Amino acid sequence: DSGVTQTPKHLITATGQRVTLRCSPRSGDLSVYWYQQSLDQGLQFLIQYYNGEERAKGNILERFSAQQFPDLHSELNLSSLELGDSALYFCASSVGTGGDYGYTFGSGTRLTVV
Amino acid sequence: LAKTTQPISMDSYEGQEVNITCSHNNIATNDYITWYQQFPSQGPRFIIQGYKTKVTNEVASLFIPADRKSSTLSLPRVSLSDTAVYYCLVGTTTDSWGKLQFGAGTQVVVTP
């Protein structure tokens, strides 16, 4: 158990639908990062939050959005889902905004869009 | 951001030492080097981080030459459970690490 909790572990949904992925960071960590990993794309950084504020944005589609709540958990919202959105979505957390001693990943949410 | 280059795959037998070299020719003065390990369908796991010379922990060693343009992750006496993808990342710990992209990594396959 890495200390980063992601729910749900698996999600199957139809095209056009909207889903919400949840992440609870490791205790004491203020930063949360979201990554998407598909077979042909590798690990792609989506977005980072630090203590409730958006800190960095990567290759996140406009159909996707995220937020970090006062209790530091984060949610990634994916809407108007397409078949190509099928992937593993990972959340990671770190103490600060940087990568001191690396950051800790959760076990991921596997999203299948049918 | 420093770009990294590492081999696509490496094969090894159980009990051997595996050395994976990562090239990062444009590494900046403040950049650290970090390695992650990822098993199928699991999130990457932090292995080791270093700035210069040599760093060792219970899992691996990281060798960084004086010019810091490359680094070598050394896995001593690998076992079947070390079969995984290994990623090398370079960046400053004061920046947003989220900006860093994981490359394709090195697929290490350990066989009996």
Side-chain angles (χ1 to χ4, degrees):
Chain A
D1 181 8
S2 68
V4 177
T5 304
Q6 288 188 250
T7 56
K9 290 194 185 305
H10 301 277
L11 197 49
I12 301 175
T13 189
T15 54
Q17 295 299 305
R18 171 189 170 97
V19 297
T20 297
L21 312 184
R22 182 187 169 102
C23 169
S24 294
R26 198 178 52 165
S27 178
D29 286 358
L30 299 178
S31 272
V32 169
Y33 310 77
W34 285 97
Y35 281 83
Q36 178 193 58
Q37 186 173 38
S38 54
L39 282 174
D40 58 346
Q41 290 284 331
L43 269 163
Q44 299 288 317
F45 166 67
L46 297 177
I47 197 164
Q48 177 202 3
Y49 280 83
Y50 174 75
N51 205 20
E53 302 282 332
E54 182 183 302
R55 182 75 181 201
K57 223 168 188 176
N59 302 320
I60 187 166
L61 300 172
E62 285 191 12
R63 301 184 284 109
F64 296 0
S65 64
Q67 56 184 326
Q68 186 179 28
F69 295 86
D71 67 352
L72 301 177
H73 91 271
S74 177
E75 292 181 356
L76 178 67
N77 301 296
L78 315 175
S79 61
S80 303
L81 284 168
E82 303 174 359
L83 295 177
D85 297 327
S86 295
L88 266 169
Y89 291 83
F90 290 107
C91 166
S93 71
S94 67
V95 173
T97 57
D100 303 65
Y101 307 107
Y103 41 66
T104 306
F105 281 81
S107 56
T109 292
R110 181 175 292 282
L111 172 66
T112 303
V113 182
V114 297
Chain B
L1 300 173
K3 180 179 157 74
T4 61
T5 303
Q6 46 183 127
I8 293 174
S9 65
M10 297 183 75
D11 294 335
S12 179
Y13 292 106
E14 275 190 299
Q16 290 189 330
E17 179 181 79
V18 171
N19 296 306
I20 309 170
T21 296
C22 178
S23 297
H24 28 80
N25 291 320
N26 59 339
I27 188 169
T29 303
N30 295 331
D31 283 345
Y32 279 71
I33 300 152
T34 310
W35 286 81
Y36 288 83
Q37 173 193 56
Q38 186 180 26
F39 299 112
S41 298
Q42 293 186 29
R45 181 177 75 108
F46 171 85
I47 300 177
I48 198 165
Q49 184 179 76
Y51 182 78
K52 61 180 180 181
T53 62
K54 176 184 173 183
V55 180
T56 297
N57 60 23
E58 65 279 2
V59 176
S61 294
L62 179 59
F63 299 91
I64 306 168
D67 66 5
R68 304 200 328 123
K69 293 185 184 300
S70 67
S71 59
T72 299
L73 175 73
S74 181
L75 306 172
R77 298 178 298 283
V78 293
S79 63
L80 299 179
S81 63
D82 292 315
T83 294
V85 178
Y86 293 82
Y87 298 96
C88 163
L89 278 79
V90 172
T92 170
T93 59
T94 60
D95 285 346
S96 170
W97 277 70
K99 294 179 187 173
L100 300 179
Q101 296 291 341
F102 283 72
T106 297
Q107 173 69 63
V108 171
V109 177
V110 181
T111 53

